[in-house]
Each structure stands twice: as structure tokens, then as C-alpha cells.
Amino acid sequence: MGVILATSRSFSDGDLDLVGRAHAAGHEIVRGPAHHGLTELAPLLAAAEGWIAGTGPVTDEHLAAAPNLRIVARYGVGTEAVDLDAALRRGIPVTNTPGANADAVADHAVGLMLAALRFIPDGDRRVRAGDWAMRRGRELGAATVGIVGFGRIGQGVARRLGGFGSRVIAADPFLPGDIIAERGAEPVDLDELFRTADLITLHAPGGQTLVDAARLDGIRPGMILVNTARPDLVDERALARALRDGRLGGYAADTLTGDTAASASPLLAPDLADRVTVTPHLGAQTTQAVDNMGAMSLDDVLSVLAGTTPAHPVSPRP
């Protein structure tokens, strides 16, 4: 029986019995740590033929410890933590799960918009402390919402906003304006989006800082920023300053720099608690998304182990 290493915490944790599906195909699922620490992972990698990898790093050292490895299936979309060039050199295909969690993250982004516009988390905290004082919010349908990055998730957000009646604008350097318009938003460039929007939601790939001190100088006073994408898209110190001086009306995010080690983030300062909402990277954590990501990653592993081409290959970055 072949060994498939799974290092995503939620693999086969939905409604689908993916462990049973792997077993029926003649393979055993072996669990490993999500942090991908090489000391703990090396003995497991030594036996693995397939690897369903979580968000931890997948380095050349990891691959060197896996002489029988035939595929790395990234459980999720982002591949920034995977050394794609090293995998290519070793002849190991890398796959991901595009679109598997798009609806879940789009739902969560809209939820964070409403939470920030209507002060929902702050209201809950204050009521529990005996404070029923009213804070007047704003309606989502009255807002111009700017979507940065108009891929599957950004387009899903636009569809949802249509039901609220929001004006939706979008910036994406990889999509022509006519395609953006066809898919539910007015195309604008990034600078115009930041000058115009009452609320901005980030759905761009990581590896870049899109919201820094200079960009915050040009926003509409009281603008709300939502980030369900990557923490490195924003300068957290600049956001904290803008929140304190009133330029930024609120920040709602599903991640901070360092994720679970982010306790020192300036955005977690007590004086910002009424304007900052942070959730623990749970945007993709729905039963449906977990099933989608697990099934897509397992199917790609089983395809390669059966000698066929996986459905969702990832190319090395240029």
C-alpha cells in the first residue's frame, strides 16, 4: 500500500471520507505536522509517494528527504511557500486547488464588510460589558466598493454585492477592462480605485505591498479596508497610524503578519479594538470548501500515482 502524506489540518475533515477514498485506491493516508518542520517531517517524507501539503514551507530540503515522492498537491491556492523550481528540477509535479474555496472566502469578505460597517464585533463586546450605547454605521448598498484583484474570489464578491446594490469597481492588471465589466464591475486603475472607494477589499496575490503610507494619504476619509488575501499586501504600522488619525475608518482581516505568531501586530493594540476586526484565517474553513480542497488535491495525487496527468498543475513562476 502506497503512502500519501497529508499535512493540512483539515484534510478529510468535512463530509467526504477522503481517507476511505484513498484506501480504496490502494493508498494509506499518513498525517504530518502542518508547520512542516523538517525534523518531524523527514521520517514521514522518506516513505511518501504523494504529499498533500498545507500552508507550511515545501523546500528543496523537504524534497530531498522524499526519494519516493511523485507529486506535491498543495491543499489550497497559494504556492508562495513551495519551491516550484526545486520541484521542477526533481521532476515532481506541483498542483493546487483553484476555485475550491472561492465561494467560502467571498462570503467571508462580505461578512467582514458588514462587521466593519455596522460595528458588529465592537457592539457585541460592549453589550457584554453592559454598554448599550449606539454607534451609527453605514449601509453596504450605499457604498462604492473597490475590489483589488478580480479573479474567482473577487468576482464572487462582486456577484454578492449585486444583491446589496453597491457600486462595484475593480482593478486587476491581468484582466482586460471589458472582461471586468462583463463580470460585474467597473474597470479602474489601482490609484483611481483607492481615491474613489468607500470600502476596499483585497483579493490579490501576496509578495507585494499594495497599501502603504503613501497610498493611505490619498484615500477617502473613513474608508474601510478588508483583507482576506495575504498579510503582506498591507503595511500594518501604516494602517495603525491611519486608524488612529481617522483617515481609515476600519480594518477587517482574516490574517495578520505572522498569523498565529502575530500577537505583536500593531493592529491588535487595545485602543484600536473598536475599529479592527481580525478572524483566525478561517475564510476558507467551510465544510464545502474543505471537501472541495481535499477532493481536488487527493484526485490529483491519485492521478499521478496511477500514471496519469493531474488536473490542476502549477507552473514555476517566471
Side-chain angles (χ1 to χ4, degrees), residues 219-223 240-250 275:
I219 62 174
R220 301 188 70 172
M223 188 266 282
R241 289 193 295 270
L243 286 162
R244 289 191 173 99
D245 66 26
R247 282 174 296 156
L248 191 62
R275 284 154 286 170

Side-chain angles (χ1 to χ4, degrees), residues 244-257:
R244 289 191 173 99
D245 66 26
R247 282 174 296 156
L248 191 62
Y251 183 61
D254 194 36
T255 183
L256 294 173
T257 299

Side-chain angles (χ1 to χ4, degrees), residues 121-133:
D122 179 57
D124 177 77
R125 285 190 295 266
R126 288 189 294 105
V127 166
R128 293 174 188 277
D131 177 5
W132 286 76

